[in-house]
Amino acid sequence: MIFRTPPEDRPRAVPARLPLGRRPRRPRPRGAGRPTRLAALLALLTAATAGACSGSSGGQGTPLPRIAVQQTIGPGEGRLDLVVWAGYAENGSSDKKVDWVTPFTRATGCRVSAKIADTSDSMVALMKSGRYDGVSASGDASVRLIYGGDVAPVNTALLTNYGDIAPFLKDQPYNSAGGQMYGVPHGYGANMLMYRTDKFPQGLTSWKVMWDPDSPAAGNLAAYDSPIYIADAALYLKAHRPDLGITDPYALSDEQFEAAVDLLKKQRPNVVQYWHSYLDEIQSFKIGDIHAGTAWQVTANLARDQKAPVATTIPVEGATGWSDTWMVSSKAQHPNCMYRWMNWITTAKVQAQVGQWFGQAPANPQACRYTARGFCNTFHVGDAAFYKRVAFWKTPVRDCGDDRDDTCVDYARWSQAWTQIKG
């Protein structure tokens, strides 16, 4: 496994490579993630999460659900049911050499059953069912889960590797509330700009290629299929429309929100694919239907394995991104196995395995002792200054988090607007 550090004269390209020949398990389609059923799902989520999304800091008087914090880890229950992003709970079925689930079961006796979700909305809906013990939630789901009473506060004193987790990932608006952590950080990364190098041999340095109506990639763009993608438009406007006064792409006034929605509507005719499964996007880049688009680093790693001429970059405007958190269900039937899982998945060796397989920075920088040479430099592991350029996903709520008080547009309206944008 070889990871090459980008040359200094390149526009922050990230040409990391994963092992040739491996393929992650293809996420099975979920009804919640299919565009044909998106409107129905969003209507359900709007009703189910309106209260949960109303505030992340109590600024609107929204109380945190009273859920007890687990004090000890008792005997394992023999089973663990997870909701995960594809690639987060590998058991050797994708690649015999990629397996951190089987050793966990041998060590703890907890048999793992993982339900793959391909969108954060799917994760929220699945966790509300009460059938799962934990989830690898991104920031656009975690606040909804916290205020919806679907996840429990986490006792970090029971997490054996918590002290090794990068400090800038802790106590953030997307994984804590009321001064209490609601999970343990897992991995993080940026929503990159990916492009075909045969179409842009000089490289790209700006998101303009995505937003300019006269873009050379017009009609061949790919964009992430989620209401949270509205933040990408807001981030671009933050740099190019200073008159709007955007400071946080997830805390938008009515004027700022409408400007972002208008930009997305203008982009719509040039988008040929809205993706929620990164494996679908790989194929589109490979055959040349897509020339540029938002992507995860794992998308580029896999595309290059299939000989697609692609590169990635974080443009000058910065990027949105994710910091995923393992969270315990408030209705967990196997909470002791879930705590054992959180302790296992945050060990340095397992963090190295997951980070290199998926293509993300491990939350535990000690993982760099076990990664391939150049990997941690490429992904800027533990580099808080670098990741200040990345606006990590968080659930939009009415509480702006500043002197504007409760005047920002919440996730329910983001969801409604997204159905209108896509048409």
Side-chain angles (χ1 to χ4, degrees), residues 349-392:
K349 284 187 177 180
V350 178
Q351 284 269 292
Q353 287 179 277
V354 182
Q356 291 179 111
W357 172 254
F358 190 81
Q360 67 181 2
N364 183 351
Q366 298 297 320
C368 294
R369 292 181 294 165
Y370 304 100
T371 56
R373 195 173 93 182
F375 173 86
C376 285
N377 286 335
T378 295
F379 284 87
H380 298 266
V381 176
D383 187 346
F386 177 81
Y387 280 98
K388 281 184 178 179
R389 301 179 62 218
V390 178
F392 289 131

Side-chain angles (χ1 to χ4, degrees), residues 89-291:
E90 290 297 304
N91 61 6
S93 58
S94 300
D95 186 316
K96 294 184 200 177
K97 297 178 182 178
V98 182
D99 184 357
W100 48 88
V101 168
T102 303
F104 167 75
T105 299
R106 288 173 183 160
T108 66
C110 301
R111 293 176 291 106
V112 177
S113 175
K115 180 87 164 179
I116 295 172
D118 54 8
T119 69
S120 286
D121 286 346
S122 295
M123 285 188 168
V124 172
L126 288 167
M127 288 300 290
K128 283 188 175 298
S129 73
R131 295 172 51 197
Y132 302 93
D133 301 303
V135 60
S136 60
S138 295
D140 56 332
S142 52
V143 172
R144 287 184 277 167
L145 293 170
I146 291 171
Y147 279 87
D150 302 303
V151 293
V154 164
N155 187 344
T156 58
L158 301 179
L159 303 178
T160 54
N161 305 299
Y162 191 71
D164 292 333
I165 300 297
F168 69 90
L169 299 175
K170 301 174 182 177
D171 301 307
Q172 295 299 317
Y174 48 79
N175 58 24
S176 67
Q180 168 69 52
M181 284 292 289
Y182 276 76
V184 60
H186 166 69
Y188 56 102
N191 296 315
M192 318 289 288
L193 171 60
M194 187 161 88
Y195 57 92
R196 283 185 61 103
T197 54
D198 57 342
K199 301 296 181 181
F200 301 98
Q202 302 304 314
L204 293 173
T205 60
S206 171
W207 286 108
K208 183 179 180 181
V209 70
M210 293 291 294
W211 301 110
D212 187 344
D214 298 320
S215 167
N220 299 98
L221 297 176
Y224 188 49
D225 188 2
S226 169
I228 206 66
Y229 183 60
I230 295 172
D232 290 64
L235 188 70
Y236 184 76
L237 291 173
K238 178 183 176 183
H240 295 275
R241 284 281 310 278
D243 58 297
L244 289 170
I246 295 174
T247 57
D248 182 342
Y250 305 101
L252 303 176
S253 67
D254 283 313
E255 180 188 10
Q256 294 165 345
F257 180 74
E258 292 303 328
V261 169
D262 182 61
L263 183 60
L264 284 156
K265 288 179 177 178
K266 291 177 179 176
Q267 182 197 53
R268 178 66 183 94
N270 288 333
V271 175
V272 71
Q273 181 184 56
Y274 285 103
W275 63 274
H276 49 84
S277 167
Y278 62 80
L279 294 169
D280 293 335
E281 188 184 27
I282 291 169
Q283 182 64 19
S284 297
F285 265 99
K286 181 180 178 181
I287 65 178
D289 283 351
I290 304 299
H291 298 170

